[in-house]
Amino acid sequence: MTKRFHETRIELVRRIAREAQAERQLVVTAFADTFVTLAHTMAAAAFDESNLRLPHPTDGSQYEKDRAHNRQIVDRWLRGKVEEFPAEFEEPWVMALPEPARERALLALFDRYDRLPAKKLAPDQGLSSFSDMLAHAARVTDAMAPIVADGRIDEGDRPHLKPALEAVSHLMASLAGMQAQLAAALPDEARNVVLMRSAG
């Protein structure tokens, strides 16, 4: 079955940023500063062609003017006042988002290609990955409670379905990362483990 999308990738990540701002997770000044730094590093050519400025490193007054200038541009992108948004800025934009908006954006982008943004975990992250998985499982339980209260899942549950789907996607990504970590600890047996999508 072909998936149909009603918004572009750029529209999607800008919408998630707006939602994070409305939920008071995103502060424009801090977001703009982080985004500009990442854009300059990750998309240098697009940065050079844009109106963004790398804040002056030694002139304090100019530094603040450059930050204000960048903040104004980013704020216009956030509010949808300016449609032009370089495709090269998608990744630094997503990476600049505060959690949990960043994870939400990654899940939405990866889901378009039936993938999961599973994190690559180091051996010493076993306890933290297990804790994250339990936290995501608890969120799934909370999200599903109003849906299954009557023993059915149908259109009457529409207000609760999207949050539940998002919670399930977070849990699946967490499980995929843990699964890859467990398999990596058994190098001789790893080939016999069928990993979840994008878990490696």
Side-chain angles (χ1 to χ4, degrees), residues 34-78:
T34 303
F35 167 71
V36 167
T37 300
L38 289 171
H40 181 259
T41 303
M42 300 170 73
F47 186 93
D48 290 343
E49 293 177 5
S50 74
N51 289 325
L52 294 170
R53 301 175 187 164
L54 194 62
H56 199 285
T58 57
D59 185 330
S61 175
Q62 186 59 46
Y63 177 86
E64 291 304 325
K65 287 179 183 176
D66 292 339
R67 287 184 69 213
H69 171 82
N70 292 334
R71 185 169 57 245
Q72 185 177 48
I73 292 173
V74 169
D75 186 57
R76 287 175 179 166
W77 277 333
L78 268 170

Side-chain angles (χ1 to χ4, degrees), residues 85-181:
F85 187 94
E88 296 88 346
F89 285 170
E90 178 194 307
E91 187 174 3
W93 182 273
V94 171
M95 291 302 103
L97 289 171
E99 292 291 359
R102 180 189 307 134
E103 190 173 359
R104 201 158 119 232
L106 288 171
L107 282 169
L109 290 169
F110 275 67
D111 187 58
R112 292 187 169 206
Y113 304 103
D114 198 31
R115 307 294 287 173
L116 288 170
K119 296 177 182 175
K120 291 188 177 180
L121 300 165
D124 63 355
Q125 291 180 287
L127 182 59
S128 64
S129 67
F130 182 61
S131 298
D132 287 346
M133 184 274 294
L134 291 177
H136 287 303
R139 291 187 193 108
V140 169
T141 301
D142 290 343
M144 288 298 297
I147 295 173
V148 298
D150 60 357
R152 299 169 53 88
I153 298 178
D154 53 29
E155 289 191 1
D157 298 307
R158 187 178 294 273
H160 307 291
L161 296 179
K162 284 188 178 180
L165 283 168
E166 187 173 307
V168 168
S169 292
H170 281 283
L171 176 59
M172 289 173 63
S174 178
L175 286 169
M178 178 181 289
Q179 184 186 34
Q181 188 180 33

Side-chain angles (χ1 to χ4, degrees), residues 5-19 90 93-94 97 101-112:
F5 307 126
H6 300 289
E7 59 185 351
T8 66
R9 293 169 61 95
I10 296 301
E11 289 167 345
L12 184 149
V13 299
R14 287 167 69 177
R15 173 177 58 77
I16 289 175
R18 283 194 299 275
E19 290 170 356
E90 178 194 307
W93 182 273
V94 171
L97 289 171
R102 180 189 307 134
E103 190 173 359
R104 201 158 119 232
L106 288 171
L107 282 169
L109 290 169
F110 275 67
D111 187 58
R112 292 187 169 206

